[in-house]
């Protein structure tokens, strides 16, 4: 059977058993656990410093009411960045290339921010649908546009993460295939292609980290609007 470039995004199975649960639980096994010792290891200290810095930067502009989300969003950031980075290894599967998984993260969290805004300050939350000083004839049109943009937010979150990772993985596979095919025919071109592949891989490492950060950053901005 001929394989296509998109087969790498299929959910893996072993003896007919889906391995998605294993792929989602693997990141939590890799992180070191806190110990009962007085002094932590260098890895634990570096991990704690990174989490503290990220939490401070993310929640500094948010009021105290939104600080309850710190544990959730920080855990989501670590989870996404680990899944994205592990997906760059050979013979691995990236769950975040599945739109269904990304939408399962985006929709409930976005909906929770909207419900919080409607419950705590409904006037302020509804005020986002109509900018101040809008001319009277444009009021119905602007309300419709702002409502559509509000409901597009979770779709944009999921599609952005899926599209960036999928495009990067496809580019890596295409260039790697080209380098492999050109090696016996044109070794010089194959070496140049391999250098391009190495640079693209470095770029994908940056994209994997940045997209996880952007996903959580946008959720924090939605939370900031409604808290």
């Amino acid at each position: 059977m001929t394989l296509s470039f998109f087969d790498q995004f299929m959910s893996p199975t072993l003896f007919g058993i889906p391995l998605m649960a294993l792929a989602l639980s693997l990141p939590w096994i890799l992180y070191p656990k806190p110990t009962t010792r007085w002094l932590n290891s260098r890895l634990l200290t570096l991990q704690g410093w990174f989490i503290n810095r990220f939490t401070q930067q993310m929640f500094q502009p948010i009021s105290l009411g939104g600080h309850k989300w710190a544990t959730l969003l920080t855990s989501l950031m670590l989870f996404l960045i680990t899944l994205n980075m592990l997906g760059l290894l050979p013979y691995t599967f990236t769950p975040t290339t599945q739109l269904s998984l990304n939408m399962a993260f985006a929709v409930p969290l976005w909906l929770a921010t909207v419900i919080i805004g409607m419950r705590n300050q409904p006037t302020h939350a509804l005020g986002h649908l109509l900018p101040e000083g809008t001319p009277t004839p444009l009021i119905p049109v602007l309300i419709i546009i702002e409502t559509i943009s509000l409901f597009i937010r979770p779709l944009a979150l999921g599609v952005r993460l899926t599209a960036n990772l999928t495009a990067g993985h496809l580019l890596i596979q295409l260039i790697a295939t080209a380098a492999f095919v050109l090696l016996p025919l044109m070794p010089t071109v194959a070496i140049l292609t391999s250098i391009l592949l190495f640079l693209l891989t470095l770029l994908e490492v940056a994209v994997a980290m940045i997209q996880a950060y952007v996903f959580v950053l946008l959720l924090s901005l939605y939370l900031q609007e409604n808290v």
Side-chain angles (χ1 to χ4, degrees), residues 31-83:
Y31 284 100
K33 305 298 187 295
T35 63
T36 56
R37 300 177 181 178
W38 286 5
L39 293 177
N40 292 324
S41 63
R42 291 182 176 88
L43 187 58
L44 268 175
T45 304
L46 184 62
Q47 175 181 296
W49 175 84
F50 171 76
I51 292 175
N52 288 334
R53 291 294 299 172
F54 170 76
T55 307
Q56 290 176 5
Q57 180 182 1
M58 186 67 65
F59 288 89
Q60 187 175 7
I62 300 178
S63 61
L64 293 178
H67 290 185
K68 302 173 184 177
W69 287 60
T71 305
L72 175 62
L73 293 186
T74 304
S75 301
L76 180 62
M77 166 69 176
L78 290 175
F79 185 63
L80 291 178
I81 198 172
T82 309
L83 287 179

Side-chain angles (χ1 to χ4, degrees), residues 203-223:
L203 178 63
E204 277 304 303
V205 171
V207 169
M209 294 185 289
I210 291 172
Q211 287 304 316
Y213 175 75
V214 168
F215 190 92
V216 179
L217 177 64
L218 290 176
L219 281 175
S220 69
L221 293 178
Y222 301 157
L223 179 65

Side-chain angles (χ1 to χ4, degrees), residues 100-112:
S100 57
L101 177 69
N102 296 332
M103 293 302 294
F105 285 137
V107 173
L109 293 174
W110 163 82
L111 187 60

Side-chain angles (χ1 to χ4, degrees), residues 174-195:
L174 286 170
I175 296 178
T177 304
F180 181 76
V181 171
L182 291 173
L183 186 59
L185 302 176
M186 293 180 285
T188 305
V189 179
I191 292 174
L192 294 177
T193 309
S194 300
I195 295 174

